[in-house]
Amino acid sequence: MTTPAAILREVFGYSEFRGTQRAIVDHICAGGDALVLMPTGGGKSLCYQLPAIVRQRRGQGVSVVVSPLIALMHDQVSALGELGVAAAFLNSTLDAAAARGIERELLAGDLTLLYAAPERILTPRFLTLLDTLYARGQLALFAIDEAHCVSQWGHDFREDYLGLGVLHERYAGVPRVALTATADQHTRRDMLARLQLESARLFVTSFDRPNIRYTIVEKLDPRRQLLRFIRSDHPGEAGIVYCQSRRKVEETAAWLAEEGLTALPYHAGLEAGVRRQHQDRFLREEGVVMVATIAFGMGIDKPDVRFVAHLDLPRNIESYYQETGRAGRDGAPADAWMSYGLADVVNQRRMIDESEAGEEFKGLQRTKLAALLALAEAHACRRVRLLDYFGEDSTACGNCDNCLVPPATWDATQAARQALSGIYRFQQQRGQRFGAGHLIDVLRGKLTDKVTQYGHQQLSTFNVGADVSEAQWRLVLRQLVALGHIRAEGEFNTLGLGESAREVLRGEVPVRLRVAEVRTGRRGASRAKTKTSDPSGHPDKALDRATNARLAALKEWRAATARGRNVPAYVVFHDATLLEMARAAPTTRAALGAITGVGVKKLEAYGEELLQVLA
Ligand code: ADP
Ligand code: ZN
């Protein structure tokens, strides 16, 4: 059988294509070029793996997958092996003998898919191999994964990707598909031009990830807030916590571990062996929390990551979306949680201002930061804003913090003007500048030592804003910094007026803010309540006892099997597949084979054992 639908069922065990997968697969099987833009977790791999199988069965030879990520190659090749698909990789982890073995298989026509890093593909030795296959008509397809790496605008630029244009020139007529989860216009243009895909068909999938719930909280006591979030919403589940600095990664991981979680650090400063060990544990054990810098995550396609938390602001919306997209690839409910405060805004602005980059690049970074801040400050649906950023229209989602608990807002126009004139008055006094704390003390009429030392109780702005709480003032200042009306500078983050401050001072710009949260944890309680009444909550809580017992037995079997085969548990079966088995409790091979995720090969390998476990 060589029809895509038959192979989807037979090999992958899936009964339906997701979204645009079918159109993409058909187009590539027919020999067309494609650029595929799909969010993380959308199901990109299948878009080239399935055509590779179809084309191999039709006698068209091997498909070559270009991937920058060694860990990913490894996982995909094991997963394909489990599905009974002949796949291999060539990368620096193989010794010369092993690499030659793979080359022989390649030439013998024994492989359906070969994964290789771009630098490997561009070597004369490898190109000669490809020449031979091409001459025999045995080059079925090139798939270029993480295609945004070809663009300098993206954050993952790889020099070697620039050389991939050669594939088109040297192997004319071999279809090529480039795939990425990064979709901004700049990057898209670069990909089309540099990979010479101008005439490729463009497939843009909705970027919505409906199973991910977005929440952005006010940063008060971030670690404790994080711990409370994990304990109440994701106890014992796998997640990723992103921090900006290596030190913070270490400290946060150590602290979470002290609090009884299985938390591990990951950053580029750790020894390679330690990194690999932590990554392996994250992939193979259940319920590991990885505390990491952005060095971690690309190429991690663990499907059951239940949450991604940001303790610091990501660089821009693309990064935020890519990082949060690592949650819930299996389609089950997952959380994207972030804590956000004034210092985040100040730091990000400073990092851009003080970087060595050119003015054009800085300008772009500032625009991107502004979009991210607007998301963080939003009172309305987060998802609508996110999708709008990627050029998609949508309506309020009902599955983000703002939809679930609409925030109270107040008219802060007057307060904003008071804050700006406070800064203005400081500057009038010999051009002096002060930080946010002192400004708030002055506005609230507090007679601190510093206030009296500088005689600031004499200023006309002293005590004009005593009715606004300190927490509200922080929000006002943050908003003003976020919008660029205030600039925070120097070692002590002293405040100065931005160019646009004048309009706000004149009252021409209305400022509406959410009411500041107070340190009571009330928010956590209200979230927990919405969760239990929410049908998209955790499935296992609602299961009857027999189903739960079956699920537990299946998980135990899976853990043992995965250990025995030395692969991550999800390579054996996904959670969703085990859950469907536990619910349906099939008693025959045929019924078992009808479960989503059970293909022919896995039925053969595990069918008898599974029926026994279920019995
Ligand atoms: P991406 O590479 O786009 O981030 P993946 O290719 O890793 O996403 O796919 C995400 C998950 O969705 C994987 O676990 C995959 O097995 C699953 N998946 C993909 N296509 C389908 C489908 N048609 N039906 C069911 N599950 C699918
Ligand atoms: Zn929403």
Side-chain angles (χ1 to χ4, degrees):
M1 293 287 275
T2 60
T3 66
I7 291 173
L8 184 70
R9 177 69 251 175
E10 177 204 315
V11 176
F12 295 90
Y14 299 146
S15 46
E16 281 167 45
F17 284 103
R18 260 196 212 156
T20 48
Q21 277 178 339
R22 149 151 253 140
I24 297 166
V25 166
D26 285 346
H27 181 72
I28 300 172
C29 286
D33 291 341
L35 175 62
V36 173
L37 307 181
M38 207 183 256
T40 307
K44 282 187 286 301
S45 323
L46 193 120
C47 295
Y48 59 84
Q49 289 172 349
L50 204 158
I53 299 168
V54 170
R55 290 176 72 84
Q56 172 65 272
R57 289 190 188 184
R58 289 182 186 160
Q60 290 167 313
V62 65
S63 295
V64 177
V65 185
V66 186
S67 169
L69 307 158
I70 289 177
L72 182 102
M73 287 185 209
H74 200 194
D75 282 0
Q76 294 228 343
V77 167
S78 335
L80 286 163
E82 287 289 312
L83 298 176
V85 179
F89 57 77
L90 271 179
N91 62 34
S92 52
T93 63
L94 297 180
D95 61 29
R100 268 196 301 280
I102 306 275
E103 288 172 9
R104 270 194 301 277
E105 286 183 58
L106 179 66
L107 284 175
D110 292 341
L111 293 177
T112 300
L113 286 130
L114 178 73
Y115 287 76
E119 60 273 19
R120 166 76 61 153
I121 288 183
L122 298 171
T123 58
R125 183 186 175 91
F126 194 81
L127 288 171
T128 309
L129 282 173
L130 292 182
D131 290 345
T132 310
L133 292 169
Y134 184 59
R136 294 183 194 156
Q138 288 299 300
L139 254 185
L141 170 71
F142 287 111
I144 301 164
D145 207 2
E146 312 288 355
H148 62 278
C149 291
V150 80
S151 168
Q152 268 117 337
W153 291 108
H155 32 91
D156 308 313
F157 176 61
R158 298 259 181 154
E159 190 92 44
D160 294 309
Y161 264 67
L162 292 174
L164 293 173
V166 72
L167 298 179
H168 175 54
E169 290 149 22
R170 201 158 166 148
Y171 309 112
V174 177
R176 292 172 305 144
V177 51
L179 309 101
T180 180
T182 304
D184 73 279
Q185 292 294 340
H186 256 299
T187 313
R188 194 186 297 189
R189 269 200 303 275
D190 274 2
M191 286 186 293
L192 289 172
R194 296 186 172 171
L195 297 172
Q196 305 197 22
L197 281 167
E198 287 94 344
S199 51
R201 195 157 142 202
L202 182 65
F203 292 92
V204 186
T205 307
S206 167
F207 268 64
D208 190 17
R209 295 287 309 283
N211 61 313
I212 298 182
R213 174 177 294 181
Y214 299 96
T215 301
I216 301 177
V217 304
E218 179 84 45
K219 192 178 273 188
L220 301 169
D221 184 354
R223 272 192 194 169
R224 294 229 157 262
Q225 288 171 290
L226 172 71
L227 184 64
R228 213 182 301 137
F229 159 72
I230 298 177
R231 281 199 177 136
S232 74
D233 290 18
H234 297 286
E237 294 183 324
I240 306 173
V241 176
Y242 282 112
C243 305
Q244 210 163 51
S245 68
R246 295 174 182 183
R247 210 181 96 196
K248 190 157 168 189
V249 163
E250 301 267 357
E251 288 172 0
T252 308
W255 185 78
L256 288 174
E258 246 168 62
E259 293 291 329
L261 273 67
T262 313
L264 302 172
Y266 189 105
H267 58 72
L270 290 171
E271 217 182 286
V274 175
R275 282 206 311 260
R276 204 167 29 242
Q277 192 205 346
H278 289 183
Q279 178 171 316
D280 272 359
R281 287 190 61 191
F282 179 71
L283 294 178
R284 280 154 208 244
E285 287 176 28
E286 302 222 1
V288 173
V289 175
M290 190 69 111
V291 186
T293 59
I294 50 169
F296 179 75
M298 219 219 198
I300 300 297
D301 57 358
K302 183 176 165 64
D304 56 354
V305 174
R306 292 273 65 89
F307 68 90
V308 170
H310 282 93
L311 280 182
D312 298 307
L313 201 60
R315 230 174 320 173
N316 50 45
I317 290 191
E318 284 91 346
S319 307
Y320 174 72
Y321 212 61
Q322 195 160 47
E323 284 148 26
T324 56
R326 293 175 184 140
R329 282 179 192 239
D330 53 10
D335 273 290
W337 183 94
M338 177 161 93
S339 72
Y340 160 76
L342 178 61
D344 287 309
V345 183
V346 170
N347 287 340
Q348 288 280 10
R349 277 201 174 274
R350 274 249 300 274
M351 263 161 51
I352 297 173
D353 291 343
E354 292 169 10
S355 86
E356 304 284 314
E359 271 315 307
E360 188 196 1
F361 190 74
K362 282 188 184 179
L364 183 72
Q365 299 305 307
R366 286 194 191 101
T367 315
K368 289 190 168 200
L369 175 61
L372 178 64
L373 297 178
L375 171 76
E377 302 282 355
H379 322 139
C381 180
R382 310 265 189 207
R383 193 180 314 268
V384 166
R385 256 183 193 277
L386 280 168
L387 292 176
D388 177 60
Y389 184 81
F390 295 113
E392 272 181 57
D393 284 334
S394 62
T395 52
C397 72
N399 192 27
C400 72
D401 53 353
N402 287 349
C403 281
L404 290 165
V405 186
T409 60
W410 61 294
D411 182 354
T413 313
Q414 174 68 10
R417 295 171 69 184
Q418 289 170 347
L420 293 177
S421 34
I423 295 170
Y424 180 67
R425 296 287 168 225
F426 289 158
Q427 286 184 348
Q428 277 191 321
Q429 285 195 331
R430 285 163 282 148
Q432 277 171 333
R433 284 167 169 247
F434 295 87
H438 182 66
L439 175 61
I440 293 173
D441 285 344
V442 171
L443 292 167
R444 303 195 69 228
K446 262 198 194 163
L447 274 173
T448 63
D449 289 348
K450 198 166 179 179
V451 168
T452 41
Q453 180 193 341
Y454 287 95
H456 283 165
Q457 72 277 21
Q458 317 286 352
L459 294 178
S460 60
T461 41
F462 186 77
N463 202 23
V464 289
D467 52 331
V468 175
S469 73
E470 192 177 321
Q472 299 288 15
W473 274 121
R474 290 210 167 263
L475 245 64
V476 173
L477 294 180
R478 187 178 78 202
Q479 178 84 1
L480 293 172
V481 175
L483 294 171
H485 303 311
I486 294 180
R487 302 160 60 97
E489 282 158 344
E491 190 188 344
F492 301 106
N493 287 325
T494 57
L495 307 179
L497 294 184
E499 269 156 39
S500 55
R502 191 167 299 237
E503 299 155 32
V504 182
L505 269 169
R506 285 206 222 98
E508 289 166 10
V509 183
V511 182
R512 198 150 192 99
L513 293 181
R514 58 165 71 221
V515 174
E517 283 167 42
V518 271
R519 289 169 197 257
T520 62
R522 245 185 53 227
R523 196 178 173 78
S526 65
R527 255 185 74 86
K529 227 191 290 145
T530 55
K531 194 104 183 177
T532 42
S533 57
D534 174 1
S536 72
H538 289 290
D540 41 346
K541 283 175 195 148
L543 298 180
D544 64 57
R545 277 192 31 206
T547 311
N548 250 329
R550 278 192 294 272
L551 186 60
L554 286 168
K555 283 198 168 172
E556 209 172 291
W557 170 85
R558 179 177 68 177
T561 307
R563 259 197 310 279
R565 304 183 58 91
N566 198 26
V567 293
Y570 60 82
V571 165
V572 178
F573 284 118
H574 282 183
D575 285 355
T577 301
L578 293 192
L579 184 64
E580 198 179 322
M581 274 183 208
R583 283 215 167 104
T587 55
T588 63
R589 283 177 72 103
L592 186 60
I595 304 277
T596 306
V598 186
V600 168
K601 178 74 193 296
K602 287 190 179 170
L603 186 63
E604 215 171 81
Y606 305 127
E608 291 309 317
E609 287 175 39
L610 282 172
L611 289 174
Q612 269 176 26
V613 172
L614 284 163

